[in-house]
Amino acid sequence: MTAPPAAAPLAAAFESAYGRAPDGVWRAPGRVNLIGEHTDYNDGLVLPFALAQGVTVAAARRDDGIVEARSLRASAAPVTAPVDGGPVTAEGWPRERAWAAYPVGVARVLHGALGTGGASLLIDADLPAGAGLSSSAALECATALALCDLHGRAPDRRELAALAQRAENEQVGAPCGIMDQSASLLCTPGNALLLDCRSGLSGPVPFAPGDAGLTLLVVDTRASHDIGDGGYGRRRAECEEAAALLGVPALRDVEDLAGALGTLRDPVLRRRVQHVVTENHRVEAAAGLLRAGAVAELGAMLNASHLSLRDQFEVSWPQADAAVDAALRAGARGGRMIGGGFGGSVIVLTAADRADRVRAAITAAYADRGWTAPAFLDAVPSAGARRAA
C-alpha cells in the first residue's frame, strides 16, 4: 500500500512552486460505502467509512479574491480563478482543467456562504481518481477545511459537508448526494458511519474486520468511473419521477413495496424502486450485524446489494461482475460494486488467510478476458478530514 503524501514534502513542494511556505497542510480521506448505494439522494440510509488513502492540500491565504490551484498529479498548467464567479461548468473549461473545478467550486461556494477569500493551493493524493472511492469529495473537503482555517471560519462539520456537496452539485454539475462529503468529514477510526441522509443525523457503528480475522479488499477494476457522464443523473431523475408518481417525498418513504410496484406501470421505474427500498433495509440489517459483532455475516448483505445494483438499478459493469464472481468462487464471504456505478471499484469481504487466493482469482479472471489487471488495497476504517501540519 502506498504511503500517504507526507506534510513536510508537500510543504516543500509548495514553497518551490509558489516561492513561499504554506500556511498549513490539510488532508481528507476517500471513502468506501460498505452498503447503501443510490439511497443517499433518495433521503435514505448509508453506511460508509473513511479510507486511509485520500487527498492532501498545502495552502496559503490570499487576500486578492483569487484561488490558484496546482496539482502534483496533473500535468496541466496551474488554474487561476476568482472566488466570486458563477458555476464553473458555465465557463466552458477544457477537459485538462476539469480537476480544478472542485477546489475552485468549493472556494466560490464558501465565499458566498461564509465570506472566505482566496488561497494558493498545491494538491497531492494517494487515492486513485475514477475508482469510485470519492476522490472528488476528498479534494472538496480538504480544500474546504483549508479555506475555513485560513480565513478564520469554523462551521459545524455537517454544515461544511453540505457546502462541499453544493459545490459539486452547483459548480461542477454532478448531482451527488451528501454521503461522500459526510463520510470524509465525519468518520472515525475503527467505525463505519450510519448516516440518515434526510435528517443529517449520524453515528458510529463498530467495524474492525481485522479483529474478526477478516479483510475487506477494495478492487479497482480499472474501468474509470465518472459521476458526471449522465448515467448517474438519469438514475436520480428516474427515482424522482417514481417518487412523484407514488405521491411520496422520496423513495425512502415507500412503506408498502408490493403496493408501490403494483402502482407503477413503467418496468424501469419498478426496478429502481425495488432497489432503493430493499437497499435501505439492507443498511439497517448490516448495521445490526456489525453492532452484534457478526462481521462475517455481512457477506450475504454485500452479495444481495450487488445483485440488486446489477439487475434492478442496472449500474454495474462487466469488470465488477467478473470480480465479484471470481472472489466468491475463491471462497470470499461476499462482494459488491461500490460507488455510483458504470465503472470504479468493488469491495470483497474475505477471511484474511484467503485474501491472496481471492486476489489471484480476480487477477486471473481479468487476464482470461484480456482486461487491464485490477489493483487492490486493504480497506481499513480510518480518520476523517483533518489538519496535517
Side-chain angles (χ1 to χ4, degrees):
M1 183 169 63
T2 304
L10 187 59
F14 182 99
E15 189 164 3
S16 177
Y18 287 104
R20 58 160 293 186
D23 295 324
V25 179
W26 291 261
R27 181 167 172 81
R31 63 94 188 97
V32 162
N33 186 26
L34 193 58
I35 200 160
E37 221 64 82
H38 291 273
T39 52
D40 58 343
Y41 56 78
N42 286 293
D43 284 356
L45 305 174
V46 292
L47 192 62
F49 65 89
L51 289 166
Q53 296 79 9
V55 175
T56 308
V57 174
R61 174 173 170 148
R62 295 175 65 138
D63 294 315
D64 58 358
I66 295 295
V67 58
E68 180 175 353
R70 306 178 185 220
S71 173
L72 297 181
R73 303 289 167 170
S75 58
V79 174
T80 302
V83 298
D84 60 354
V88 173
T89 52
E91 297 181 11
W93 286 16
R95 188 169 184 83
E96 61 269 18
R97 292 173 46 144
W99 64 270
Y102 296 95
V104 171
V106 166
R108 289 179 174 177
V109 167
L110 264 60
H111 174 70
L114 303 176
T116 57
S120 298
L121 310 172
L122 183 64
I123 298 157
D124 197 9
D126 60 333
L127 187 71
L133 302 176
S134 200
S135 58
S136 59
L139 174 53
E140 291 158 6
C141 293
T143 300
L145 279 184
L147 289 170
C148 286
D149 283 358
L150 292 174
H151 293 279
R153 306 294 190 271
D156 177 84
R157 287 207 167 196
R158 288 178 175 81
E159 178 188 357
L160 195 59
L163 291 170
Q165 180 204 12
R166 260 186 62 194
E168 189 155 349
N169 291 170
E170 299 173 6
Q171 290 284 330
V172 183
C176 68
I178 193 64
M179 174 182 66
D180 294 347
Q181 295 81 7
S182 296
S184 190
L185 285 164
L186 300 175
C187 281
T188 54
N191 293 289
L193 182 78
L194 181 59
L195 172 65
D196 184 326
C197 295
R198 170 171 286 167
S199 68
L201 297 176
S202 64
V205 178
F207 180 52
D211 292 350
L214 299 166
T215 295
L216 189 73
L217 299 176
V218 174
V219 185
D220 180 355
T221 69
R222 299 299 183 93
S224 186
H225 158 82
D226 181 1
I227 194 175
D229 67 359
Y232 183 99
R234 283 192 298 275
R235 295 304 183 278
R236 183 165 185 164
E238 289 163 351
C239 290
E240 291 170 352
E241 180 183 357
L245 290 171
L246 293 170
V248 294
L251 294 185
R252 186 248 181 87
D253 299 296
V254 173
E255 297 181 357
D256 178 7
L257 178 57
L261 297 179
T263 299
L264 295 170
R265 293 186 175 184
D266 187 334
V268 172
L269 297 186
R270 286 201 296 269
R271 291 197 296 272
R272 305 301 184 253
V273 171
Q274 184 169 345
H275 167 73
V276 173
V277 173
T278 58
E279 187 80 346
N280 272 314
H281 293 325
R282 284 187 285 271
V283 175
E284 294 177 311
L289 289 172
L290 294 183
R291 291 186 179 114
V295 181
E297 304 310 313
L298 190 66
M301 294 293 104
L302 302 182
N303 293 337
S305 177
H306 183 76
L307 291 175
S308 183
L309 288 159
R310 185 192 71 187
D311 300 335
Q312 305 301 327
F313 220 67
E314 299 174 286
V315 292
S316 191
W317 61 102
Q319 292 90 336
D321 297 336
V324 171
D325 182 65
L328 295 178
R329 290 176 184 273
R333 303 286 304 193
R336 75 175 191 91
M337 60 148 283
I338 58 171
F342 312 104
S345 294
V346 161
I347 55 172
V348 173
L349 183 69
T350 182
D353 60 7
R354 285 183 178 264
D356 288 343
R357 186 186 310 175
V358 168
R359 291 187 189 94
I362 297 171
T363 301
Y366 275 47
D368 289 345
R369 292 164 172 80
W371 293 338
T372 301
F376 300 90
L377 63 87
D378 291 347
V380 178
S382 301
R386 60 206 180 276
R387 185 166 183 159

